[in-house]
Amino acid sequence: LFDDDDEAILRAAQAILKYQPYEVLVSKTAEDAIRILSEGDISVLICDLVMPFVDGNIVLAEARKYNPNVVSILTTGMPDME
């Protein structure tokens, strides 16, 4: 599952992983990502840190509630660690 509010990033992820032997799901909001996580067995979550309303840290915490073994990758376009 890719969660990012930037549609170009989601399209790029889908294009890059198009021919892999697994299903790639995308969501544009944290709320959609949490809904998808609650409905299925997600193995890997790649999530943007900075999104409107709910940040990526919340999505990662929710993901662990549904699947404690989910592999989580947090991404950001922020130019520094602060």
Side-chain angles (χ1 to χ4, degrees):
L1 172 62
F2 278 84
D3 184 36
D4 200 302
D5 59 322
D6 185 334
E7 191 153 336
I9 290 174
L10 296 177
R11 283 194 312 269
Q14 286 177 309
I16 291 167
L17 298 171
K18 184 177 183 177
Y19 299 107
Q20 298 304 312
Y22 38 80
E23 183 178 11
V24 177
L25 303 174
V26 297
S27 61
K28 290 179 64 174
T29 67
E31 294 82 5
D32 282 345
I34 292 167
R35 179 187 50 76
I36 292 168
L37 288 160
S38 73
E39 293 174 351
D41 186 23
I42 302 299
S43 304
V44 178
L45 169 63
I46 300 173
C47 183
D48 187 14
L49 174 63
V50 181
M51 293 186 292
F53 309 113
V54 178
D55 75 31
N57 286 316
I58 301 298
V59 177
L60 295 181
E62 290 294 314
R64 287 189 193 99
K65 288 181 186 177
Y66 298 110
N67 181 354
N69 298 317
V70 66
V71 174
S72 303
I73 301 169
L74 191 61
T75 64
T76 185
M78 301 299 289
D80 60 48
M81 292 301 288
E82 291 179 33

